[in-house]
Amino acid sequence: MDTKIITTAILAALALPLNATEATETQEVNEGKNLKLSEVFSKPKLSGYMIGNYNATFQDEGNSNGFSLRMIRLIMTGRVLGDFEYKIQGQINGNTGTYGDSPRLIDMSLEWQKYKGFKIKAGQFKRPFTFENPMNPIDIGFTTLNQNVMSLSGFTDRTGEQSSNGRDIGVQLSGDLLPNSEGRTLLHYEVGMFNGQGLNQKEVDNQKDIIGGAWVSPLKGVRIGAFGWVGSYARKGTWQEGGVETSGTRKVGRYRYAISAEYKDADWQIRSEYIHNTGGAFATRANKSADLQDCTLNEKLGDRADGIYLACVAPIIRGKLRAKARYDLYRPAGDWGTAKIIYKAGINYLFCKNLEIQTEYSFVNDRSLADHNYSMADIQFSVRF
């Protein structure tokens, strides 16, 4: 999609509620009742963040280092008629291999929130799969997501789907149930139906993905949950079958589950998730500029994948300085011959709640490479506004 069109669409969407709240005329809404537009739309809240980083990779004959403008995001939220909340979020990437990937609209949703135990959301938003997927990229405490969530939650998805930031287009039901005497709810559920095609993509095979999960909170700050995903990713294109070029719609399955546990307070984060995948993959990443895609399957990768991570962020000086470590294992073909393990440790320093620097050292053991071991260093600087 043309970047000028995307930019115009984002700016127009961001401007609409602003203009509405400033209007003085009235409009017919709510079955004929006259309301001022300022009574329909709440004053919108604007926020966002910027992330930049420096990365150095120390690998035989593959050393590299450089600065990167990771992303800028602008977010607008507000309410409509009191019971509905909308969210619009745009993203601009600093360094992209394909400039058509930036800027882009990543969130546009409307959620009915009249009842805490039964909410309905529609639009484009995060898939309800794993604890880490819906988290803000600064709040996870590390400069990158773990490999499992990246590959099996719709970021750089294993199937070959275009990079989708964990999002899709669909509708979702969710709610918080069983409040205790402290007002804290003990059970949360969420389930949604999605196109299965990822960010800013229309339906291809007229089959939907069903994704959902639930967790319990037996203690303050503790969550223990499970998630499931039944669906597919489809393309229209060409492939070789029996030595003959074939064209049409081809899909690979996505049958996934995750088991998750977390403890979190103002300074502590302890989180672990295991994810398992059954379903194939295309040999190439989706090309947004092409009408017909390469539908060749990645036979070497097969139809199994799994992984687990354990992450811990602990305070050294509360509210200021934190130490962190993460064990991150991913097996893209479900066997140890392709396993990639990243051992990560570092320090996060908060100048204030809106300004943070994160530093990390990573030791990588990638068994798919002839030389398994190498290391990396990262420094990330983030600003919230």
Side-chain angles (χ1 to χ4, degrees), residues 81-103:
L81 294 174
D83 293 333
F84 294 86
E85 181 180 76
Y86 66 85
K87 180 178 181 180
I88 301 170
Q89 182 172 197
Q91 175 173 312
I92 299 174
N93 287 39
N95 299 76
T96 60
T98 304
Y99 289 106
D101 290 343
S102 179

Side-chain angles (χ1 to χ4, degrees), residues 126-135 140 145-155 166 188 190 211-215 223 225-229 256-262 271-276 307 309:
K126 286 279 192 176
R127 290 159 161 147
F129 192 74
T130 76
F131 285 163
E132 194 161 291
N133 178 16
M135 293 178 68
I140 65 170
L145 294 163
N146 69 85
Q147 299 177 88
N148 304 346
V149 172
M150 287 287 288
S151 299
L152 301 177
S153 289
F155 286 81
H188 175 87
E190 50 192 26
I211 310 172
W215 60 79
R223 295 191 294 169
F227 300 85
W229 184 336
R256 298 171 177 173
Y257 67 85
I259 301 170
S260 310
E262 179 187 61
R271 185 171 56 256
S272 183
E273 299 188 272
Y274 172 78
I275 308 174
H276 183 275
Y309 75 90

Side-chain angles (χ1 to χ4, degrees), residues 6 9 14 33 40 91 94 109 125 141 170 186 214 237 243 270 274 281 291 324 337 376:
I6 297 175
L14 291 174
K33 182 180 178 181
V40 178
Q91 175 173 312
S109 64
F125 49 91
L186 303 179
I270 303 174
Y274 172 78
D291 293 330
K324 61 184 178 182
M376 299 184 296

Side-chain angles (χ1 to χ4, degrees), residues 32-296:
K33 182 180 178 181
N34 288 329
L35 294 176
K36 291 183 179 180
L37 287 179
S38 59
E39 296 178 289
V40 178
F41 292 96
S42 70
K43 184 177 180 180
K45 180 182 178 181
L46 295 176
S47 61
Y49 50 89
M50 301 180 291
I51 303 176
N53 62 21
Y54 171 82
N55 169 266
T57 300
F58 309 102
Q59 192 172 17
D60 290 345
E61 300 180 1
N63 291 345
S64 63
N65 69 88
F67 296 99
S68 172
L69 303 175
R70 184 177 169 187
M71 70 176 73
I72 298 174
R73 285 187 179 175
L74 180 63
I75 308 161
M76 185 177 69
T77 58
R79 303 196 74 83
V80 183
L81 294 174
D83 293 333
F84 294 86
E85 181 180 76
Y86 66 85
K87 180 178 181 180
I88 301 170
Q89 182 172 197
Q91 175 173 312
I92 299 174
N93 287 39
N95 299 76
T96 60
T98 304
Y99 289 106
D101 290 343
S102 179
R104 62 186 181 275
L105 184 68
I106 60 174
D107 282 296
M108 188 169 68
S109 64
L110 183 68
E111 185 173 44
W112 182 60
Q113 300 180 340
K114 184 173 183 178
Y115 302 106
K116 191 173 183 180
F118 185 79
K119 302 176 183 178
I120 304 174
K121 181 189 286 189
Q124 179 167 277
F125 49 91
K126 286 279 192 176
R127 290 159 161 147
F129 192 74
T130 76
F131 285 163
E132 194 161 291
N133 178 16
M135 293 178 68
N136 180 295
I138 302 172
D139 292 341
I140 65 170
F142 294 84
T143 60
T144 61
L145 294 163
N146 69 85
Q147 299 177 88
N148 304 346
V149 172
M150 287 287 288
S151 299
L152 301 177
S153 289
F155 286 81
T156 51
D157 199 88
R158 179 185 188 274
T159 56
E161 176 188 275
Q162 75 281 353
S163 180
S164 293
N165 296 96
R167 292 166 167 86
D168 203 347
I169 303 171
V171 61
Q172 174 182 288
L173 305 179
S174 67
D176 294 293
L177 304 172
L178 305 178
N180 64 8
S181 59
E182 300 172 350
R184 178 173 54 84
T185 53
L186 303 179
L187 175 65
H188 175 87
Y189 73 92
E190 50 192 26
V191 60
M193 181 171 64
F194 301 87
N195 280 344
Q197 297 304 118
L199 191 69
N200 298 326
Q201 299 296 305
K202 63 182 181 181
E203 181 60 276
V204 173
D205 62 351
N206 296 319
Q207 294 185 3
K208 302 296 182 284
D209 285 11
I210 305 298
I211 310 172
W215 60 79
V216 295
S217 301
L219 299 170
K220 184 179 179 180
V222 174
R223 295 191 294 169
I224 302 170
F227 300 85
W229 184 336
V230 177
S232 60
Y233 167 62
R235 291 181 183 176
K236 290 183 179 179
T238 60
W239 66 95
Q240 293 289 325
E241 192 169 317
V244 178
E245 185 173 280
T246 304
S247 63
T249 299
R250 200 176 197 187
K251 64 182 179 180
V252 291
R254 281 194 281 212
Y255 304 96
R256 298 171 177 173
Y257 67 85
I259 301 170
S260 310
E262 179 187 61
Y263 170 73
K264 187 177 181 181
D265 71 3
D267 283 279
W268 281 92
Q269 284 191 60
I270 303 174
R271 185 171 56 256
S272 183
E273 299 188 272
Y274 172 78
I275 308 174
H276 183 275
N277 171 84
T278 301
F282 290 105
T284 60
R285 182 75 45 195
N287 182 355
K288 295 181 182 180
S289 64
D291 293 330
L292 294 178
Q293 306 285 332
D294 179 2
C295 292
T296 304

